[in-house]
Amino acid sequence: MHSVELLPDAATERAVREAWRLLADAGLPSLAGHRHPTNRPHLTLASADALSGEVRARLLHVLAEALPVPLLLDGLVRFSGRTRVLAWAVRPDDALLRLHEEVGRILREAPGSGRPNPLLDPVRWVPHVTLARGRGAFPDPPAGAPGALAGEWKTARHYDSVTRTVAYLAS
């Protein structure tokens, strides 16, 4: 699977990593323990089975023109299912919603990109930055858990989940 992701400015990244650390220090599930070098706070815009060179070029153009876009993290959101997720909610503005729609459209229209992830469809998309993933229920986060934080989405990358590699699309 190939995903197109936005990365936050340095101050926001530090704040998310601090939230990861607070969870881990409290003995709770946290992405702080995920040590792969590609593990960074991010927002997934879209995914595809494949990204051709032509599609990457189109994405590069769109993302380079759009970035940076405002970022607002505000409160926690929980997702249930086979794997439970605790995340910092992203409150999208019009610029982020337009970018999400455009990136998704490029991938949907690309030959050979495969079936899009329905959770990333604009109608169902719940933008968030993951703080923790796990199988059990998450207790309430410790004091000092994330509140509101403003910043910018500064960079875009392509993540390949098979090779576990990234390629930067715009910064």
Side-chain angles (χ1 to χ4, degrees):
M1 180 62 62
H2 300 264
S3 59
V4 177
E5 304 168 346
L6 296 182
L7 303 175
D9 60 82
T12 303
E13 180 162 346
R14 283 190 301 274
V16 173
R17 289 184 182 276
E18 176 63 14
W20 290 354
R21 188 193 62 74
L22 283 171
L23 290 168
D25 288 353
L28 300 173
S30 167
L31 287 185
H34 182 19
R35 299 285 183 210
H36 196 272
T38 62
N39 182 40
R40 290 185 64 184
H42 67 275
L43 172 65
T44 303
L45 290 179
S47 65
D49 292 337
L51 289 183
S52 68
E54 179 183 326
V55 169
R56 283 194 298 272
R58 288 183 66 202
L59 290 170
L60 180 82
H61 176 74
V62 166
L63 292 161
E65 283 192 358
L67 294 175
V69 294
L71 172 157
L72 178 60
L73 301 176
D74 189 15
L76 295 175
V77 62
R78 296 169 194 255
F79 301 99
S80 59
R82 191 180 86 233
T83 301
R84 296 180 189 276
V85 173
L86 176 68
W88 209 337
V90 172
R91 302 295 177 218
D93 69 350
D94 289 341
L96 180 58
L97 291 171
R98 280 191 307 273
L99 182 58
H100 173 252
E101 173 57 35
E102 180 67 11
V103 168
R105 187 185 60 72
I106 290 169
L107 295 185
R108 284 189 307 274
E109 293 175 357
S113 65
R115 195 177 127 235
N117 182 334
L119 296 176
L120 298 173
D121 182 271
V123 176
R124 295 188 60 198
W125 187 48
V126 179
H128 63 278
V129 174
T130 301
L131 300 174
R133 300 173 62 85
R135 299 265 184 213
F138 291 121
D140 288 333
L149 178 68
E152 289 184 318
W153 296 109
K154 300 282 281 186
T155 306
R157 73 179 185 178
H158 155 234
Y159 176 71
D160 182 334
S161 66
V162 174
T163 63
R164 297 183 75 189
T165 57
V166 297
Y168 289 87
L169 297 167
S171 58

